[in-house]
Amino acid sequence: MTAESTPLTLAQLAELAGVSTATVSKVVNGRAEVSPETRAAVEALIRRHGYRRQRRRPAPAAVVEVVFHALEGDYPVEIIKGVEEVAREHQLTVSVSQLHRSDPAEQDWLEGVLRRRTTGVGVIAVFSSLDETQRERLARREIPLVLLDPADDPGRGIPSVSAGNWNGGLAATRHLLELGHRRIGVITGPGYALPGRARLDGYRTALDMAGVPADPDLVACGSFLIEGGLAAAQRLLRLPDPPTAIFATNDGQAIGVYHAAHRLGLRIPDDLSVVGFDDLPSVRWTLPPLTTIRQPLTAMAAAATTMLLALAHGEPLPQSRIELATELVVRESTAAPRR
């Protein structure tokens, strides 16, 4: 082989030797199924011309598509951690999109999923309500879909993973009742959100079981956002007979309650007890640390990803709906009422 010559490929060596590329490959890889004469001829060509191995293009990694209603705060981080946990174990790639209906550019996520069908595992829709057209397009292409923390009723035939929202609302309100509170306000989520409605039902059930009349003035509509919690809490705390405790149906709204209390000169928990819902990492660092309902978001995401993989492999699911338990986490934002 001269310095100026270019090494030959398998196909080029095979043409010069008058044999198949499979035969040359056997020689290159030291396989025994080649006659001594043919092996000697091929090896002579390799010494004379050199051999250039062709680089194989790496196979694309299978993709788990995760679609959020919005990518804001700690909530999506906890979800992604759970998806990644399972994806890493199975050597999968995770793609993240958000579904803002007000922004047409964000609707490209579905087109991307359809383009990647050859490598896609399926779609996990998080706190999202895919419309009928989107669901049908996925179904027509046989792309599996799992709903995680669904915003509304998943409907028949669509697998889902959620938390014990009703039990969480019950536990949060019972905790406040056991401390002696009777004027307990609640800040709900947006009207379309099934988890918020279930938490509100749990709140009402706890009051009913304790024999405490439900006061409609103590129910404020929120948005699951900090600013929604702030506005709702200000309304509740300015009532002629304000609540001594507030159950915010997610941690973001509970932060809004903290801000409202500060603006009105109220101390937590001396003047006002607050309970949230989610147990996101940041609420451990609020002042005071927030009492909340732990929603196992990472475990929920891992369960949804495991379900998606089963569907992608054509395996039947033991159950199409999974509900993981919630848990009361008592910190320093709740105490007995002063009045």
Side-chain angles (χ1 to χ4, degrees), residues 142-212:
E142 298 184 339
I143 298 175
L145 169 66
V146 175
L147 302 181
L148 174 55
D149 196 14
D152 57 14
D153 185 0
R156 296 182 61 186
I158 300 183
S160 65
V161 180
S162 58
N165 292 298
W166 183 86
N167 284 322
L170 182 78
T173 312
R174 274 184 170 170
H175 170 65
L176 295 169
L177 289 165
E178 288 167 359
L179 289 171
H181 294 277
R182 293 298 179 267
R183 294 285 294 169
I184 302 173
V186 62
I187 302 175
T188 71
Y192 66 83
L194 184 63
R197 296 202 302 271
R199 295 166 198 176
L200 176 61
D201 287 344
Y203 158 87
R204 286 172 170 156
T205 301
L207 293 179
D208 182 61
M209 293 175 68
V212 176

Side-chain angles (χ1 to χ4, degrees), residues 79 81-83 85-86 148 161 296-307:
I79 296 292
K81 282 164 59 177
V83 176
E85 181 181 298
V86 177
L148 174 55
V161 180
L297 294 172
T298 300
M300 290 162 60
T305 310
T306 300
M307 291 175 79

Side-chain angles (χ1 to χ4, degrees), residues 71-136:
L71 284 167
E72 297 175 0
D74 292 342
Y75 176 93
V77 175
E78 296 303 299
I79 296 292
I80 292 169
K81 282 164 59 177
V83 176
E84 281 280 6
E85 181 181 298
V86 177
R88 186 168 55 251
E89 180 183 345
H90 294 273
Q91 298 182 318
L92 306 174
T93 297
V94 179
S95 173
V96 177
S97 307
Q98 62 179 343
L99 185 63
H100 277 316
R101 296 185 186 279
S102 59
D103 184 353
E106 296 295 349
Q107 296 306 301
D108 290 343
W109 74 268
L110 182 55
E111 299 303 325
V113 169
L114 298 176
R115 283 196 302 270
R116 291 190 292 269
R117 178 62 189 110
T118 53
T119 59
V121 173
V123 175
I124 298 174
V126 186
F127 197 68
S128 301
S129 300
L130 302 189
D131 60 39
E132 197 62 33
T133 300
Q134 291 169 329
R135 294 184 185 192
E136 287 177 358

Side-chain angles (χ1 to χ4, degrees), residues 41-57:
V42 172
E43 287 176 343
L45 286 170
I46 292 173
R47 285 194 298 272
R48 187 180 315 143
H49 299 285
Y51 164 56
R52 182 175 79 249
R53 289 185 179 273
Q54 291 181 298
R55 292 183 179 179
R56 291 184 179 180
R57 182 177 296 177

